[in-house]
Amino acid sequence: MSINSSSLYPIISRYLELMRALGRRYRTEQGVLESLDRFLIAIGSSDLTQEAFTNWCQTQQHLTSGVLRARMNMVRKLCLYRRRSEPECFVPDSILFPIKHQSLIPYIFTEEEITRLIAAAQTVKPGSRSPLRAEVYRLAIVLLYTTGMRRGELTRLIIKDYNVQDQTLLVRESKFHKSRYLPLSPNTSWEIEHYLQVRKHRHFMISAESPLLWNGYGKGYTGPGIREGIILLFRIADIHTRDGRLPRIHDIRHSFAVQALLRWYREHADLQAKLPLLSTYMGHVSIVSTQHYLHFVDELAVVSSTRFAKHYGLLINSYGEEL
């Protein structure tokens, strides 16, 4: 154990190693737990106690209650792991944690709104630091909406991840260390190829290892960078939620899942067979994670009710008449 680490450090190291072996990245958790370790060293505490934990929480009061609760839970999970081998160790009581915030209801984009976002991208002027802003923002919207990929997955794409023969995208080692190939629609493939032709025609970097979303300096857009651009498009297209706020980029991923479900209902597809495919396409470990994205919006309620009535409406009516 290093002189610059507390007695908790070896436990933190073993815990992180276990979680990563299970497929989790735990980068945020690592930062939080290492900050706790540094705090224990600073106050001269030999171990994590109720008093030390309370004092550490006091240093986090600048955070929102939801973020603070999440960090406290990270420490609690570490302590529960430790309790397996040290039954008498301190474990924070979750009853004393800040209350949960109500989860935000995702905004589900319509196809017409996505069309407006693509049109808005065309109005964005190039800058000295980003000569292909309009083209990059357009492609970002198209890929997010037609593949449902995560923002981080989008910004990590490089040119060779696109296979022009197979019309697929390789998403490399995303969440849970899973890589996957995404089959693309002909229109989405055309968008990528057109964008690459623009780069080639203007003599911009086009090597296989260069970022797909290229910013003009040999580097790709960062997550915050692409977020800033897409939020700008939300403003230009005047798209707001019912309470007047701007949507989140992650809402596009929710929209992808809901729109896929709507298409299958309209096509009278076997949903039980389709949902595992959607789960794999979205990069989920199980369908439980995918269900988080399948919201019962009004349009979905109509098509599902119509489908149910078509198959079982006569049976219900007959049963009602017998009663």
Side-chain angles (χ1 to χ4, degrees):
M1 184 175 65
S2 168
I3 194 172
N4 294 319
S5 60
S6 72
S7 60
L8 198 62
Y9 185 79
I11 301 165
I12 294 173
S13 298
R14 293 195 299 270
Y15 174 66
L16 292 175
E17 183 179 0
L18 172 63
M19 292 298 105
R20 285 166 179 158
L22 295 174
R24 296 171 172 84
R25 293 186 180 276
Y26 264 44
R27 290 173 180 167
T28 301
E29 287 81 355
Q30 178 179 354
V32 171
L33 296 178
E34 287 180 349
S35 77
L36 174 63
D37 176 61
R38 291 191 297 270
F39 177 78
L40 293 177
I41 297 169
I43 65 173
S45 178
S46 60
D47 200 357
L48 181 64
T49 63
Q50 176 66 68
E51 182 182 4
F53 179 70
T54 300
N55 291 337
W56 176 76
C57 291
Q58 290 294 324
T59 69
Q60 311 287 307
Q61 292 301 312
H62 61 286
L63 303 171
T64 63
S65 61
V67 174
L68 176 57
R69 179 185 176 87
R71 293 191 176 188
M72 293 169 75
N73 264 321
M74 292 174 193
V75 176
R76 174 176 164 79
K77 288 179 181 179
L78 170 72
C79 294
L80 289 172
Y81 162 79
R82 182 185 186 185
R83 179 177 278 181
R84 298 176 188 176
S85 56
E86 301 179 42
E88 302 302 319
C89 74
F90 164 71
V91 176
D93 187 347
S94 60
I95 294 177
L96 303 178
F97 290 7
I99 62 172
K100 281 186 176 180
H101 280 300
Q102 185 176 4
S103 299
L104 287 175
I105 298 174
Y107 183 80
I108 305 302
F109 291 87
T110 65
E111 291 185 0
E112 184 272 335
E113 287 172 328
I114 296 297
T115 300
R116 281 162 50 192
L117 288 173
I118 292 173
Q122 301 302 109
T123 68
V124 178
K125 304 298 182 184
S128 59
R129 297 176 60 85
S130 183
L132 291 175
R133 286 179 77 207
E135 291 82 359
V136 165
Y137 293 170
R138 176 188 175 102
L139 184 61
I141 291 294
V142 169
L143 289 178
L144 288 171
Y145 185 68
T146 62
T147 70
M149 67 172 61
R150 304 173 179 95
R151 183 182 66 177
E153 294 172 340
L154 174 67
T155 55
R156 287 194 296 272
L157 289 172
I158 59 178
I159 288 180
K160 73 174 183 181
D161 290 334
Y162 173 62
N163 187 311
V164 64
Q165 284 78 29
D166 297 338
Q167 294 191 337
T168 59
L169 268 179
L170 171 61
V171 177
R172 290 169 286 106
E173 288 208 8
S174 186
K175 201 171 184 179
F176 304 110
H177 305 299
K178 290 165 64 74
S179 296
R180 66 192 190 279
Y181 284 98
L182 302 182
L184 305 175
S185 69
N187 286 341
T188 302
S189 295
W190 182 90
E191 291 283 349
I192 296 176
E193 291 165 22
H194 175 72
Y195 164 77
L196 294 176
Q197 283 297 320
V198 170
R199 275 174 62 167
K200 183 177 181 180
H201 178 73
R202 296 178 63 177
H203 306 291
F204 291 139
M205 184 178 292
I206 200 74
S207 66
E209 299 291 336
S210 65
L212 183 64
L213 301 188
W214 182 74
N215 68 358
Y217 284 84
K219 297 181 180 179
Y221 273 76
T222 62
I226 203 66
R227 176 187 180 278
E228 180 182 337
I230 292 178
I231 292 298
L232 173 64
L233 299 187
F234 292 162
R235 291 195 175 97
I236 295 173
D238 193 24
I239 298 175
H240 296 81
T241 65
R242 289 182 179 179
D243 60 4
R245 64 178 176 83
L246 291 171
R248 304 169 303 165
I249 293 180
H250 199 62
D251 291 340
I252 303 178
R253 181 167 162 87
H254 285 267
S255 302
F256 164 80
V258 170
Q259 293 297 339
L261 196 61
L262 274 170
R263 283 196 305 275
W264 291 331
Y265 264 115
R266 291 167 181 154
E267 296 167 359
H268 306 288
D270 182 350
L271 295 181
Q272 296 306 312
K274 290 288 190 180
L275 287 177
L277 300 178
L278 178 62
S279 180
T280 300
Y281 196 91
M282 295 183 71
H284 290 148
V285 174
S286 72
I287 198 169
V288 175
S289 299
T290 310
Q291 290 171 346
H292 172 69
Y293 291 85
L294 301 177
H295 308 281
F296 204 59
V297 297
D298 292 344
E299 191 175 2
L300 186 57
V302 171
V303 295
S304 59
S305 297
T306 301
R307 179 170 174 172
F308 181 83
K310 181 178 180 180
H311 287 84
Y312 302 107
L314 183 61
L315 177 64
I316 293 174
N317 289 337
S318 300
Y319 180 73
E321 290 174 359
E322 290 178 6
L323 291 178

